[in-house]
Amino acid sequence: SVLVTSVVEGYCKAGKPKEAMNVISFFSLKPNIFVYNSFISMLCADGDMVDASLMFQEMFESGLLPDCVSYTTMIGGYCKDPDMKRAFQYFGKMLKCGIKPTVTTHTLLIDACCRSEDLEMAECLFQKMKTEGLVPDIVTYNTIINGYGKKGNLHKAFMLVDMMRSAGISPDVTTYNIIIDSLIKRGFTNEAKDILDELVRRGISPDMVTFTSIIDGLSKKGDFEEAFLVWFYMSEHDVKPD
RNA sequence: AAUCGUUGCU
């Protein structure tokens, strides 16, 4: 069993989840739900939704009922694909099975809707989750702020920052990075700098993402001197790498 | 203990 574990681990680390699962079934071992979810997650990360859905089905047929994480993982896989039709199919399936989608499930779908430029659907999910008694967290807010920001609707993005504050959630470095990147990509360089100042004033440390976002934006604008100054500022201060 | 969601460049 120690041997099996290490062989399975080896296959997983080598990025071969299918082979690892074959080893498990060869020894007629019954994976539990955590093992199944981990494997489904690996396949989804690989973009292999064919095998992910096969494994989801296999889990079902072996008598293990997929849980919220199983469904959310599958939805996440299809959102990345992106195959929103199937993503929403799984969303419907989990509702039908009486499994309550979580904040994570909704955030995942909101993010995918934003990426497919369907801000209406994103907004709809955002409203719906609240009526179901779910409380959007900082990731949900950052996700939808990013959706509006990237689309150039900065007014709405700032409104959502206010909304999250009223909900008692303080914007974090990711929130600021999203706003700064959205501004700079639309050419609002000075406004982006103001936000950078605000971030520092609030005691948040800018990170690598903050600066690469600014430097990239300035370079694409052809403002290499400014870009260099920011780079210089960055090397003078201790910027946390990821 | 171990499985799902958000920001830049590449």
Side-chain angles (χ1 to χ4, degrees), chain A residues 49-234:
Chain A
M49 293 315 291
V50 174
D51 286 311
S53 57
L54 283 174
M55 194 160 286
F56 184 91
Q57 213 176 321
E58 185 193 308
M59 160 168 57
F60 198 87
E61 280 157 8
S62 79
L64 271 178
L65 289 185
D67 65 4
C68 181
V69 173
S70 323
Y71 278 100
T72 305
T73 304
M74 287 300 293
I75 291 168
Y78 283 120
C79 283
K80 266 185 51 194
D81 204 15
D83 183 344
M84 294 315 288
K85 205 172 146 239
R86 283 198 236 273
F88 280 109
Q89 268 174 20
Y90 273 87
F91 188 61
K93 262 202 254 182
M94 77 188 289
L95 292 171
K96 209 184 252 178
C97 296
I99 297 171
K100 292 240 183 301
T102 58
V103 172
T104 299
T105 319
H106 287 265
T107 304
L108 212 46
L109 285 165
I110 289 170
D111 185 43
C113 289
C114 288
R115 287 180 205 285
S116 61
E117 309 267 275
D118 192 353
L119 273 286
E120 284 200 11
M121 192 65 213
E123 190 71 45
C124 176
L125 285 160
F126 185 61
Q127 301 304 335
K128 218 189 88 181
M129 70 186 285
K130 291 192 262 188
T131 65
E132 317 249 307
L134 292 171
V135 182
D137 64 12
I138 191 155
V139 178
T140 316
Y141 280 104
N142 287 346
T143 301
I144 195 155
I145 290 168
N146 187 44
Y148 281 111
K150 287 297 185 297
K151 221 190 159 208
N153 192 344
L154 288 148
H155 179 73
K156 184 77 193 199
F158 281 115
M159 274 180 52
L160 280 154
V161 174
D162 286 341
M163 195 189 289
M164 77 191 275
R165 281 214 179 85
S166 326
I169 301 172
S170 300
D172 64 1
V173 67
T174 300
T175 319
Y176 281 101
N177 287 346
I178 288 165
I179 296 286
I180 288 171
D181 188 62
S182 301
L183 285 169
I184 212 143
K185 278 199 165 62
R186 296 275 157 177
F188 298 115
T189 312
N190 293 328
E191 288 80 355
K193 272 194 227 151
D194 291 343
I195 300 292
L196 176 62
D197 285 340
E198 182 188 319
L199 171 162
V200 174
R201 261 188 286 115
R202 288 186 191 266
I204 299 172
S205 307
D207 60 13
M208 281 297 288
V209 175
T210 320
F211 288 108
T212 48
S213 171
I214 293 173
I215 291 171
D216 180 68
L218 291 172
S219 309
K220 283 188 175 142
K221 229 183 134 206
D223 202 341
F224 297 108
E225 287 172 57
E226 269 305 288
F228 177 75
L229 286 175
V230 175
W231 179 85
F232 186 72
Y233 177 93
M234 182 175 67

Side-chain angles (χ1 to χ4, degrees), chain A residues 34-50:
Chain A
F34 294 101
V35 174
Y36 267 118
N37 287 348
S38 305
F39 278 98
I40 291 172
S41 166
M42 282 189 275
L43 291 167
C44 287
D46 245 37
D48 187 354
M49 293 315 291
V50 174

